[in-house]
Amino acid sequence: MPVTYEPVGAATRKLLGSVLLQHHPELDAAGVSVAALFAYGPRDKDDNLTGPAISVGGYQAAGCIRKTSLKERAYGNADAQMLLDGDRWNDWTESRQAALIDHEITHLEVQWEVFPDDGEPGIPKRDDLNRPKLNLRLHNLVAGGFIETVKRYGRSSFDVQHFRDIFDEHGQMLMPFLANDDGVIASIGDPPGQPPGAAQG
């Protein structure tokens, strides 16, 4: 059985609306509409999952979002469509569900004719159906690499350097459990026995 889809329920729609209003008021003010579906992964004849419900760039994803085309909007569809992993949704706390919805909505950016300023709502650019035009925002926190090149080149590898840059800039927020009693977080590559932040280079 291939990937299947169904509309999210009332509780999830309410959570989506709450996240949109609380954390993305500029989208709400521009009249941006977001629809959501649950996606369910393919299953074999014994009802065992055989693949992910959602894949992005070849990797399993918990969710994804896209802006709809003018033609889709003319059919009455929302300005953006979100997919959520229905196979795992009920395993997550409401806070984790909200975090996923928030992540996906953060990809959406209004194209502004006049930017919001000093509490003024701004004027969005609009398409031929008078719907707000959107851009898709790229992640500003990205990590990737290969264990094999890390093993071969260690701290000389771009893989390690990439993680070190993220760690040094955002480590306290992303990995507070690595901080010592004084709240100092080590840099990646600190030799054993040295105090956090002693490593250079």
Side-chain angles (χ1 to χ4, degrees):
M1 184 170 60
V3 175
T4 57
Y5 305 92
E6 71 174 8
V8 301
T12 303
R13 288 197 302 273
K14 182 178 178 181
L15 183 60
L16 192 159
S18 175
V19 169
L20 186 66
L21 188 62
Q22 182 176 0
H23 300 298
H24 304 275
E26 77 289 351
L27 297 178
D28 183 69
V32 174
S33 58
V34 181
L37 295 174
F38 284 133
Y40 298 92
R43 292 179 178 270
D44 62 20
K45 59 183 178 60
D46 297 317
D47 203 36
N48 298 309
L49 277 172
T50 59
I54 303 169
S55 295
V56 177
Y59 296 95
Q60 183 178 13
C64 64
I65 197 166
R66 69 180 184 88
K67 58 182 182 178
T68 54
S69 67
L70 184 66
K71 183 178 180 181
E72 289 173 309
R73 292 179 177 194
Y75 274 118
N77 291 321
D79 302 316
Q81 292 182 341
M82 181 187 302
L83 288 182
L84 301 168
D85 189 333
D87 294 313
R88 296 185 285 171
W89 185 255
N90 289 328
D91 296 332
W92 298 327
T93 63
E94 183 174 308
S95 177
R96 194 163 177 81
Q97 293 171 351
L100 174 57
I101 289 172
D102 196 356
H103 174 103
E104 298 308 332
I105 293 176
T106 301
H107 279 292
L108 301 178
E109 284 186 328
V110 174
Q111 294 183 28
W112 296 105
E113 197 75 55
V114 178
F115 283 90
D117 185 47
D118 291 332
E120 295 298 320
I123 301 174
K125 292 182 179 179
R126 296 192 174 273
D127 62 20
D128 292 340
L129 297 170
N130 202 35
R131 301 301 306 160
K133 289 186 175 183
L134 298 173
N135 291 324
L136 283 181
R137 179 184 176 194
L138 297 176
H139 292 136
N140 57 18
L141 180 65
V142 181
F146 290 101
I147 290 295
E148 293 85 351
T149 53
V150 171
K151 288 180 178 178
R152 287 193 281 267
Y153 299 99
R155 285 197 285 176
S156 295
S157 71
F158 282 88
D159 316 66
V160 168
Q161 184 60 53
H162 187 64
F163 278 91
R164 285 189 66 179
D165 291 344
I166 293 174
F167 190 90
D168 290 344
E169 186 171 354
H170 303 292
Q172 185 70 54
M173 177 175 61
L174 296 175
M175 292 166 274
F177 53 87
L178 295 179
N180 64 17
D181 292 339
D182 297 321
V184 177
I185 195 161
S187 293
I188 289 178
D190 281 330
Q194 289 196 18
Q200 301 294 320

